[in-house]
């Protein structure tokens, strides 16, 4: 039997934990030394206790606190154990969802900031291929073209309230952009009362999701919101000059609103999908 007894240092080394960790587990009555030598007062672990230590380490690596692990060990029934595990799984799933959404939105912010260095000079029209994108669109009573930046800010509050009411992660509330029907663009009766956010595969189906198909877009970037109508006219003229037609709605995509940018203004890119006339 003596050969099966392990000092605390031996138990720690065997299981790749520190002696401080074993003392903490003992203090919390999770894994306590099983045998004490009455002559020396030394306490020993057994190999059989390694299985319990393995389970503790596995649960702890799943972000369960020691108090919860102790509760699991003290449960009297398998049914209650399953219930506790289901509660922890649900909580962890929520954390994973929130973290994944945050990661996706941070990557989008990073991509937009990196894109700034690749943009042509502000005010210059250019063609670009853009992959498919999904939007959550909200119609508002405000109009950017008639109310200017104040109207845009009111559209932002509308979108923010919408996300709050739907209990959607606030990390989606970045670079809120606007959209205008193709007909208004082609008639040059510019009006934009719809705001949108870009969404990913984790975003729930709110009933307001629209898909922008992939394709060739004619775009203009700027850091002056007062010039959007001027640049919208420029897009229209460029489409006519290249003998093309729009095949989708006009959007004004906000690339960044960070005040740290040297211009101190938001940077946006107006764009519309186009194709050659048949």
């Amino acid at each position: 039997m003596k050969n099966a007894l392990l000092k605390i240092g031996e138990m720690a080394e065997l299981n790749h934990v520190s002696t401080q960790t074993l003392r903490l587990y003992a203090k919390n009555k999770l894994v306590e030394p099983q045998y004490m030598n009455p002559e020396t007062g030394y306490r020993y672990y057994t190999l059989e206790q390694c299985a319990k230590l393995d389970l503790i380490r596995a649960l702890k690596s799943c972000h369960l606190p020691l108090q919860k692990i102790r509760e699991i060990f003290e449960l009297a029934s398998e049914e209650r154990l399953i219930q506790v595990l289901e509660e922890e799984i649900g909580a962890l799933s929520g954390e994973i969802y929130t973290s994944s959404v945050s990661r996706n939105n941070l990557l989008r912010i990073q991509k937009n900031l990196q894109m700034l260095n690749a943009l042509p000079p502000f005010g210059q029209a250019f063609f670009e291929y853009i992959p498919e994108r999904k939007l959550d669109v909200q119609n508002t009573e405000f109009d950017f073209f008639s109310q200017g930046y104040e109207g845009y800010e009111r559209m932002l509050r509308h979108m923010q309230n919408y996300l709050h009411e739907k209990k959607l992660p606030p990390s989606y509330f970045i670079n809120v952009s606007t959209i205008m029907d193709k007909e208004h663009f082609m008639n040059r009766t510019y009006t934009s009362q719809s705001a949108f956010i870009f969404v990913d595969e984790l975003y729930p189906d709110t009933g307001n999701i629209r898909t922008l198909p992939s394709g060739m877009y004619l775009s203009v970037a700027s850091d002056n919101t007062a010039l959007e109508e001027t640049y919208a006219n420029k897009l229209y003229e460029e489409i006519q000059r290249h003998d093309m037609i729009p095949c989708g709605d006009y959007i004004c995509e906000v690339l960044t609103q960070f005040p740290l940018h040297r211009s101190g203004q938001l940077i946006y890119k107006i764009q519309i999908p186009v194709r050659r006339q048949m």
Side-chain angles (χ1 to χ4, degrees), residues 143-162:
D143 177 26
F144 171 78
F145 283 96
S146 64
Q147 296 175 288
Y149 191 79
E150 180 180 346
Y152 173 68
E153 281 296 335
R154 293 187 180 278
M155 295 168 85
L156 290 185
R157 296 319 115 203
H158 179 98
M159 180 62 76
Q160 189 176 56
N161 291 339
Y162 168 74

Side-chain angles (χ1 to χ4, degrees), residues 233-258:
N233 284 321
K234 185 169 188 175
L235 281 186
Y236 179 89
E237 293 164 1
E238 286 293 312
I239 289 174
Q240 304 301 314
R241 189 169 71 84
H242 288 280
D243 195 27
M244 304 183 84
I245 57 173
C247 50
D249 291 335
Y250 163 110
I251 71 170
C252 176
E253 177 185 359
V254 175
L255 298 178
T256 178
Q257 283 180 271
F258 289 162

Side-chain angles (χ1 to χ4, degrees), residues 212-226:
L212 295 178
S214 61
M216 189 61 64
Y217 284 72
L218 182 60
S219 305
V220 173
S222 177
D223 63 351
N224 187 342
T225 56

Side-chain angles (χ1 to χ4, degrees), residues 91-103:
L92 188 58
S93 297
E95 292 176 10
I96 292 172
Y97 168 75
T98 302
S99 296
S100 298
V101 166
S102 299
R103 179 180 184 275

